[in-house]
Amino acid sequence: MMKKFLSLLGVISLLCLSMHAVKAQETYGRSDAPLVAVVGDVEIHTSNPDEMAYVIKQLLVKHYIEDNKLQATEAELAAFLQRKQLMMEKNRIKLDVRRDQIRQTLAEPSLTTDARVQLEKERAALDEMDKAMMQAESRAGSEENDAAEAFVARTFVEQWKVNRALYNQYGGRLIYQQGGAEPIDAWQQFLRDAQKDGQFKILQQDLEPALWSYYTVDSVHTFYPESVAGKEQAINTPWWMM
């Protein structure tokens, strides 16, 4: 679970910067970059097709949250942060136990060279994780850290609420994703409906495949079994509560 928070932190930071730029200027990107797409009144300037696709999706999601009143509640944010703290404490215990096991094993004279090398690598990785966790713990309680925690919580909670709402609206298949079950077919239909309704327009047609490839190439995803009970539980239960 800890890896989920760390791996998505970079994406969340980009989202924050992107929306700030949009709010301030009604544009995204550098003015001297190509104008590649328009979402509502917002012009997107970039030469990176993946960035274009990302910004289109985030702007549409922002409006979807507002239109469907999917904003995270204080109770939902509190539950997420409480669960996150519990997971961090459990991860700390597991980390300490495994580091102790490695120390004991490395002390055995009969240990082979290959096994020793692998354990040394694992110990180094665990030491880095321990260092990162200690740094995070040292920042706890500060105004800056609390603001960052609240932003992360809001992003994850609203992401889950959007996924659930889109699945209930469109149905389709679910894939395993770092932020829980993702209704990939529903997302594709949502984007196609938005394009058809004129909510966004891609001006550089050679960049358009970047928006759709994620949803149309099945080989890059792992799908949930088609068991109705399993799918319903996956989409309706927040992944941090499972």
Side-chain angles (χ1 to χ4, degrees):
M1 289 297 182
M2 174 63 66
K3 291 182 179 179
K4 290 183 178 179
F5 292 104
L6 297 177
S7 62
L8 289 175
L9 191 56
V11 174
I12 292 169
S13 299
L14 177 59
L15 169 59
C16 184
L17 293 174
S18 301
M19 300 313 294
H20 174 76
V22 167
K23 184 178 180 181
Q25 303 176 13
E26 292 302 316
T27 62
Y28 175 93
R30 295 169 55 94
S31 60
D32 59 346
L35 173 61
V36 296
V38 177
V39 182
D41 296 327
V42 179
E43 296 182 343
I44 301 174
H45 294 259
T46 182
S47 57
N48 186 325
D50 292 328
E51 184 177 24
M52 177 203 71
Y54 174 80
V55 177
I56 288 174
K57 180 178 176 179
Q58 295 307 325
L59 289 170
L60 292 174
V61 167
K62 179 176 181 291
H63 293 307
Y64 188 80
I65 290 173
E66 294 170 352
D67 293 344
N68 294 277
K69 296 180 174 57
L70 298 176
Q71 295 87 349
T73 66
E74 292 302 316
E76 290 168 338
L77 296 176
F80 177 91
L81 291 171
Q82 183 181 38
R83 187 70 173 182
K84 175 177 176 288
Q85 181 61 36
L86 178 62
M87 286 190 290
M88 291 181 66
E89 292 172 357
K90 288 184 176 180
N91 283 333
R92 160 60 70 187
I93 294 173
K94 291 180 180 178
L95 177 65
D96 290 341
V97 168
R98 181 54 184 160
R99 292 173 76 200
D100 186 59
Q101 290 174 341
I102 290 175
R103 281 194 294 267
Q104 294 181 32
T105 304
L106 287 173
E108 297 177 3
S110 59
L111 191 65
T112 65
T113 301
D114 288 344
R116 186 175 300 277
V117 169
Q118 291 302 316
L119 285 174
E120 290 286 5
K121 289 181 180 180
E122 183 181 354
R123 181 169 67 174
L126 293 176
D127 287 345
E128 286 299 315
M129 290 180 61
D130 179 65
K131 182 179 178 180
M133 293 175 72
M134 290 182 65
Q135 290 174 344
E137 291 167 1
S138 69
R139 294 191 297 267
S142 67
E143 182 176 345
E144 181 180 3
N145 185 76
D146 287 348
E149 290 275 309
F151 180 78
V152 170
R154 186 173 302 279
T155 300
F156 277 116
V157 170
E158 291 182 352
Q159 175 189 351
W160 167 70
K161 295 180 79 170
V162 167
N163 282 338
R164 182 180 61 173
L166 287 177
Y167 179 75
N168 289 335
Q169 181 176 353
Y170 294 105
R173 298 171 298 172
L174 300 180
I175 62 171
Y176 290 91
Q177 194 51 273
Q178 290 176 321
E182 182 177 12
I184 190 168
D185 294 335
W187 269 106
Q188 180 179 181
Q189 192 59 53
F190 164 70
L191 292 172
R192 294 198 183 280
D193 285 352
Q195 186 180 42
K196 182 179 179 180
D197 293 343
Q199 296 179 43
F200 74 92
K201 183 177 182 179
I202 296 176
L203 306 177
Q204 298 280 356
Q205 297 304 310
D206 59 318
L207 303 185
E208 183 163 355
L211 180 63
W212 305 112
S213 61
Y214 176 81
Y215 305 101
T216 57
V217 182
D218 289 355
S219 60
V220 301
H221 302 299
T222 301
F223 291 84
Y224 275 81
E226 284 301 309
S227 164
V228 175
K231 288 177 64 176
E232 294 299 320
Q233 180 183 27
I235 198 67
N236 288 313
T237 305
W239 59 264
W240 58 90
M241 299 299 293
M242 295 179 69

